[in-house]
Amino acid sequence: MIITKTSEEIELIRESALIVSKTLGMLASEVKPGITTLQLDALAESFIRDHGAIPGFLGLYDFPNSLCMSPNAQVVHGIPNNTPLVDGDIISIDCGALKNDFYGDHAYTFEVGEVAPEIKKLLEVTKASLYEGIREFKLGKRVGDVGYAIQKYAEDHGYGVVRELVGHGLGKKMHEDPEMPNYGRRGRGKKFIEGMVVAIEPMINMGTKRIKQLKDGWTILTADGKPSAHFEHDVALINGKPELLSTFDYVHEALGIKSDEEDEFRAKKMNL
Ligand code: MG
Ligand code: MG
């Protein structure tokens, strides 16, 4: 059952989502060759706690850390470790925060040093597919419309869309109804309703859509060993339209990227 939120509750989710956005922005300056994902995880945990929140993933379904850290061929749910990042890597960082009983949950795939052009392209397309999906999250549309838009965009670029892992409703639980697949058919699935909040999160592979799981019971990686990217935003349905609760502005600011990609999904301009 979809649990709709009051406008007060949506603001609380926004507060948690923005703590995640700021955490990703902080990490953007730290992601570089030589640093380990465990070091980044420790930085994030302190940062989240300093902002009056609890790391949303730590202990959730017994996950051992604050961040899911998935380099290169890892899709999602990678566990931080002592292996240093190296020049040319990509690292998908998924972060959650819990404050005032509401979760924020969003993700960005970072470049480490100088990344090959074909991998840069994978990141660009995956991020753009996220916005293709968000654009369909409005009154009158259904879950399948978002999935269709993401799938179409990614597959038109020749990439594989992961099927087994999906976006989700977001609120007092990290994973609420509805499931939000990154593939689907137009006009199918649950109808969107005013006041619902979802995490939309395409996981796009450079090669095959097929995945496998490591024996650690967590790490998901591509079956063919090619890279995978993951971008995620938290979005509320307000006045019939998608309203972003999370933002990549802090990441963009740290990386010196100028972007107006989020403007169409904001009722009012953010003040950083
Ligand atoms: Mg996430
Ligand atoms: Mg999520």
Side-chain angles (χ1 to χ4, degrees):
M1 195 190 69
I2 295 173
I3 303 167
T4 58
K5 277 78 185 178
T6 64
S7 49
E8 291 77 15
E9 289 173 327
I10 288 173
E11 289 315 306
L12 294 179
I13 299 175
R14 190 196 300 273
E15 193 177 331
S16 298
L18 287 178
I19 291 171
V20 176
S21 302
K22 289 173 189 170
T23 306
L24 293 174
M26 176 277 292
L27 292 169
S29 306
E30 304 291 340
V31 168
K32 52 185 80 135
I35 197 161
T36 71
T37 49
L38 211 45
Q39 288 171 321
L40 294 169
D41 183 73
L43 288 173
E45 177 170 358
S46 308
F47 189 90
I48 292 166
R49 293 191 191 280
D50 287 348
H51 285 75
I54 295 169
F57 296 160
L58 186 62
L60 186 72
Y61 315 118
D62 292 327
F63 189 76
N65 291 87
S66 296
L67 299 177
C68 292
M69 301 290 260
S70 310
N72 304 320
Q74 294 189 8
V75 178
V76 286
H77 300 169
I79 298 173
N81 62 28
N82 281 315
T83 308
L85 296 174
V86 300
D87 191 51
D89 278 352
I90 54 170
I91 177 81
S92 298
I93 303 184
D94 196 350
C95 179
L98 175 64
K99 188 175 181 180
N100 303 311
D101 291 330
F102 285 94
Y103 281 100
D105 168 28
H106 94 120
Y108 195 94
T109 301
F110 295 91
E111 299 173 18
V112 183
E114 200 52 51
V115 166
E118 67 268 25
I119 298 179
K120 276 182 191 284
K121 179 81 182 168
L122 172 70
L123 304 194
E124 267 168 39
V125 169
T126 304
K127 179 132 77 74
S129 79
L130 167 60
Y131 294 113
E132 292 289 318
I134 292 172
R135 211 165 278 130
E136 294 295 309
F137 180 58
K138 56 189 178 189
L139 227 48
K141 298 276 187 171
R142 293 171 181 265
V143 166
D145 293 302
V146 169
Y148 174 84
I150 293 169
Q151 180 183 10
K152 173 99 173 61
Y153 191 83
E155 288 183 349
D156 281 354
H157 285 85
Y159 297 140
V161 178
V162 173
R163 300 297 201 273
E164 293 86 346
L165 298 134
V166 297
H168 48 91
L170 183 71
K172 287 191 173 176
K173 290 203 177 131
M174 173 73 80
H175 299 117
E176 295 185 354
D177 275 350
E179 287 196 342
M180 297 287 293
N182 300 301
Y183 62 94
R185 295 170 66 185
R186 278 176 173 155
R188 298 297 180 95
K190 287 186 179 164
K191 253 188 177 165
F192 296 136
I193 45 180
E194 183 74 13
M196 68 187 289
V197 177
V198 295
I200 300 178
E201 48 178 317
M203 289 150 255
I204 307 297
N205 300 344
M206 185 178 276
T208 179
K209 63 177 184 288
R210 290 185 304 109
I211 55 166
K212 53 189 183 183
Q213 188 169 34
L214 287 186
K215 288 204 176 68
D216 63 19
W218 279 105
T219 311
I220 303 291
L221 63 171
T222 59
D224 59 6
K226 291 185 178 170
S228 181
H230 179 213
F231 289 86
E232 177 177 23
H233 266 312
D234 301 333
V235 198
L237 209 161
I238 301 174
N239 296 325
K241 292 186 303 202
E243 160 91 17
L244 275 186
L245 303 181
S246 53
T247 178
F248 294 139
D249 278 2
Y250 298 99
V251 169
H252 292 158
E253 198 186 26
L255 298 178
I257 297 170
K258 272 230 165 297
S259 171
D260 58 2
E261 67 194 23
E262 298 178 1
D263 289 359
E264 68 177 288
F265 307 116
R266 276 193 199 138
K268 48 181 190 276
K269 187 89 181 99
M270 294 271 302
N271 269 320
L272 294 192

